[in-house]
Amino acid sequence: MKYNNPVIKGFYPDPSICKADGAYYLVCSSFQYFPGVPIFESKDLINWTQIGHCLTRKSQIQLDTVNSSGGVFAPTIRYNNGRFYMTTTNDTTRQNFYVWTDDIYGEWSEPVFVDQGGIDPDLYFEDGKAFFMSNGTDDYGVGGIVQCEIDIETGRKLTPSRSVWQGTGGRYLESPHLYKINGRYYLLAAEGGTEYGHMVTYARGDSPSGPFKAYPQNPVLTNRNLGGYELQGVGHSDLIQDDEGNWWLFHLGFRQIGRWLTFHHLGREVFLTPVTFGEDGWFTAGHNGTTLTSFETDRIPDTVIQQEKKVYTFENTDWNLDWCYLRHPATENYRLEQDKATLLGTELTLDVPASPTFIGIRQMDFRAAISCDVSLTNGEAGISLYMDEHHHYDLAVRKDESGYKVIERLNIGDIKSIENEVELGADNHAALIIKASHERYSFFVHADGKEILLGTAQTKYLSSEVAGGFTGVVIGLYVYGENSLAEFSNFKCKYE
């Protein structure tokens, strides 16, 4: 069969995967968004359904003072003796921790902290022992991939943290994962930084703690030299064996907006690449060590059809799964129903690193038509194409002393400009429309039986190359202002 990449679209970076009871489970980073660490399930590795989040309570993760692209960094999910474990980092508080559950569809535990620094933690289980790894500096001041043995019940270190591998010389050695395959231990990592130089590297040894010898042909997977190619930033991977014995890499990557336009705003996404082990025990990945937009493979039966959801509405999404908040929300300000959302505003705007009244869904493809009816009592309410508090485009209904109007506002760094407005008079309702393409967003209001164009803006100013950070554009519904109340209905996001 032929499958297309990415297999999970939109801002779902740093994938990690495990297998349990005939299904596969995958988690991703969530940074400043809540709930934290989305969980996906699949039976075939191609089609994924979100089933929950690992961090659903304020007691599990501190996000109140987290800057954009802070908070919850790369997670790892593992299954051992009937229990699921997810370990991650709160990069803002510099704490590594894990949570666990015996029911993948239920709630997860309170955090168990591990006194080891660095980011991108990993758990490896063998013979009743639990090994904890991260990137950073060990107890002796040596940098690299750092490992210790822990008491899995308490998180207490049973051995000193020791650097077990220093990588191949690329910058930002990170994303360690350890596996035992055919009697050898394989240590997977990422180097080069999660941008255009990103790459997957690995080494192997005869014990969980090494010494590890690097694969002679590292990097095993990278798109760093593919100029003019849509898929870039390939790295941060996790290895999985399917039920037929085939091996795969799940990894992040991103799609740039054009062949020669080196900007990406959808965030880092989830890609799937086949892996092949040689007789010498080393493995190769992808097409000559690169990832493609599609793979033809006989590893997956032709009966498996890759499904893709093209239309997202209030009615066919789940508020608790598909949608997210900025940091910890004041839940009393949200009334979320099957066909509408009623939001109560506060003095917090989208321009501050806090939790304004905002609920969003990730933008999952370049070409889209986004629409929503908005009714407002006071203040401002509308749709935001949100990258962070300094980079977002807003199409909103606003009330001032002259009545109601629709505004198009662009926020790019220190430049915040209302580009256009359409007067509504006493009418406090508007049908807002945003049309997205690879390179531009166009902003409309539907009035008098026609679409009125307010203006356009380039997508690249919401990209990671401009804004920085590690997230992607989230389509947010928001309201702010004293005594402001807004009702959102007829939401639709339709992808071409």
Side-chain angles (χ1 to χ4, degrees):
M1 66 91 69
K2 178 182 178 180
Y3 71 87
N4 297 317
N5 271 318
V7 292
I8 302 178
K9 292 185 173 183
F11 154 53
Y12 291 105
D14 308 320
S16 176
I17 186 172
C18 72
K19 181 171 61 174
D21 300 326
Y24 304 94
Y25 299 95
L26 184 148
V27 294
C28 297
S29 298
S30 50
F31 297 97
Q32 73 268 32
Y33 290 94
F34 185 82
V37 187
I39 314 167
F40 294 84
E41 181 183 55
S42 176
K43 297 288 187 179
D44 56 26
L45 296 176
I46 300 297
N47 296 294
W48 292 89
T49 302
Q50 190 172 348
I51 60 170
H53 295 82
C54 296
L55 306 177
T56 57
R57 304 185 301 278
K58 192 172 183 178
S59 60
Q60 292 173 304
I61 183 66
Q62 196 289 106
L63 293 177
D64 286 335
T65 58
V66 165
N67 291 325
S68 292
S69 291
V72 180
F73 273 36
T76 295
I77 188 170
R78 293 294 182 255
Y79 182 71
N80 184 63
N81 290 336
R83 177 165 289 179
F84 292 91
Y85 297 85
M86 187 283 297
T87 182
T88 188
T89 305
N90 185 336
D91 186 64
T92 300
T93 62
R94 308 304 293 180
Q95 291 176 302
N96 283 315
F97 66 93
Y98 56 90
V99 292
W100 57 265
T101 186
D102 295 327
D103 177 9
I104 194 69
Y105 304 104
E107 289 288 305
W108 291 66
S109 73
E110 289 298 298
V112 180
F113 294 94
V114 179
D115 186 20
Q116 180 168 292
I119 60 171
D120 299 2
D122 179 65
L123 281 171
Y124 174 74
F125 297 92
E126 182 178 323
D127 297 333
K129 295 182 177 182
F131 296 88
F132 185 87
M133 294 198 306
S134 59
N135 83 327
T137 304
D138 69 11
D139 291 345
Y140 308 98
V142 180
I145 300 302
V146 178
Q147 182 191 87
C148 67
E149 185 184 344
I150 64 170
D151 178 347
I152 196 61
E153 297 297 323
T154 66
R156 181 175 62 91
K157 288 170 60 173
L158 301 179
T159 64
S161 297
R162 186 173 68 88
S163 180
V164 296
W165 193 48
Q166 284 73 50
T168 67
R171 67 174 183 167
Y172 304 139
L173 175 63
E174 56 194 354
S175 179
H177 292 307
L178 186 65
Y179 320 87
K180 188 176 184 180
I181 303 170
N182 297 328
R184 286 193 174 109
Y185 295 87
Y186 290 76
L187 177 54
L188 195 66
E191 300 180 58
T194 186
E195 299 102 13
Y196 289 85
H198 214 23
M199 54 184 171
V200 180
T201 60
Y202 76 98
R204 72 183 186 194
D206 294 325
S207 83
S209 300
F212 292 99
K213 178 183 178 182
Y215 171 52
Q217 304 302 319
N218 272 322
V220 66
L221 185 70
T222 184
N223 282 22
R224 63 183 179 177
N225 293 322
L226 298 183
Y229 188 64
E230 180 186 37
L231 303 187
Q232 298 288 341
V234 168
H236 198 114
S237 64
D238 203 359
L239 197 60
I240 192 75
Q241 186 180 32
D242 67 23
D243 292 335
E244 303 303 319
N246 303 303
W247 288 93
W248 305 83
L249 280 177
F250 276 84
H251 58 89
L252 65 75
F254 57 78
R255 293 176 285 164
Q256 61 185 34
I257 63 175
R259 183 176 179 183
W260 302 110
L261 297 172
T262 54
F263 302 92
H264 74 283
H265 62 284
L266 300 183
R268 298 168 300 155
E269 305 174 291
V270 179
F271 292 77
L272 174 62
T273 298
V275 164
T276 302
F277 275 84
E279 293 183 1
D280 57 2
W282 297 111
F283 66 82
T284 59
H287 174 70
N288 297 325
T290 66
T291 292
L292 304 179
T293 55
S294 64
F295 281 100
E296 291 272 2
T297 180
D298 59 3
R299 300 181 178 193
I300 299 172
D302 289 335
T303 54
V304 174
I305 306 299
Q306 188 172 21
Q307 307 290 333
E308 185 172 2
K309 188 173 181 177
K310 290 290 190 180
V311 179
Y312 292 78
T313 66
F314 287 157
E315 291 80 5
N316 73 5
T317 56
D318 188 320
W319 290 112
N320 296 315
L321 295 178
D322 303 286
W323 297 77
C324 57
Y325 305 92
L326 282 166
R327 305 169 185 86
H328 293 297
T331 55
E332 65 273 15
N333 293 334
Y334 301 81
R335 188 166 74 244
L336 307 175
E337 303 174 64
Q338 184 177 3
D339 61 347
K340 66 180 179 180
T342 305
L343 307 184
L344 177 65
T346 70
E347 74 283 358
L348 295 175
T349 73
L350 300 181
D351 299 337
V352 294
S355 187
T357 304
F358 169 105
I359 188 165
I361 190 168
R362 291 156 172 84
Q363 184 179 345
M364 297 181 185
D365 228 329
F366 295 110
R367 303 189 65 84
I370 306 157
S371 58
C372 192
D373 292 348
V374 180
S375 298
L376 175 71
T377 59
N378 197 34
E380 177 182 313
I383 307 171
S384 181
L385 302 170
Y386 185 90
M387 186 59 157
D388 62 29
E389 60 268 20
H390 302 298
H391 301 84
H392 55 94
Y393 297 158
D394 310 323
L395 180 64
V397 181
R398 193 179 203 182
K399 185 182 181 184
D400 59 21
E401 60 278 0
S402 65
Y404 295 92
K405 61 184 65 174
V406 172
I407 64 166
E408 174 213 358
R409 180 174 52 233
L410 308 183
N411 297 262
I412 306 169
D414 294 328
I415 303 171
K416 306 180 190 305
S417 172
I418 294 178
E419 294 291 292
N420 201 357
E421 57 187 46
V422 173
E423 298 289 343
L424 299 176
D427 189 357
N428 71 337
H429 170 271
L432 306 180
I433 301 167
I434 300 173
K435 296 181 181 180
S437 66
H438 286 72
E439 297 181 38
R440 284 197 171 271
Y441 293 107
S442 299
F443 303 91
F444 301 85
V445 59
H446 192 275
D448 299 325
K450 60 183 179 181
E451 293 181 0
I452 300 172
L453 175 66
L454 281 83
T456 71
Q458 295 181 69
T459 60
K460 72 177 184 180
Y461 293 115
L462 299 186
S463 70
S464 294
E465 289 77 11
V466 173
F470 307 118
T471 60
V473 169
V474 173
I475 303 165
L477 309 179
Y478 75 95
V479 58
Y480 77 85
E482 186 178 358
N483 300 318
S484 58
L485 185 71
E487 182 178 286
F488 298 83
S489 58
N490 296 319
F491 173 84
K492 179 186 285 188
C493 180
K494 183 178 181 180
Y495 296 105
E496 293 184 10

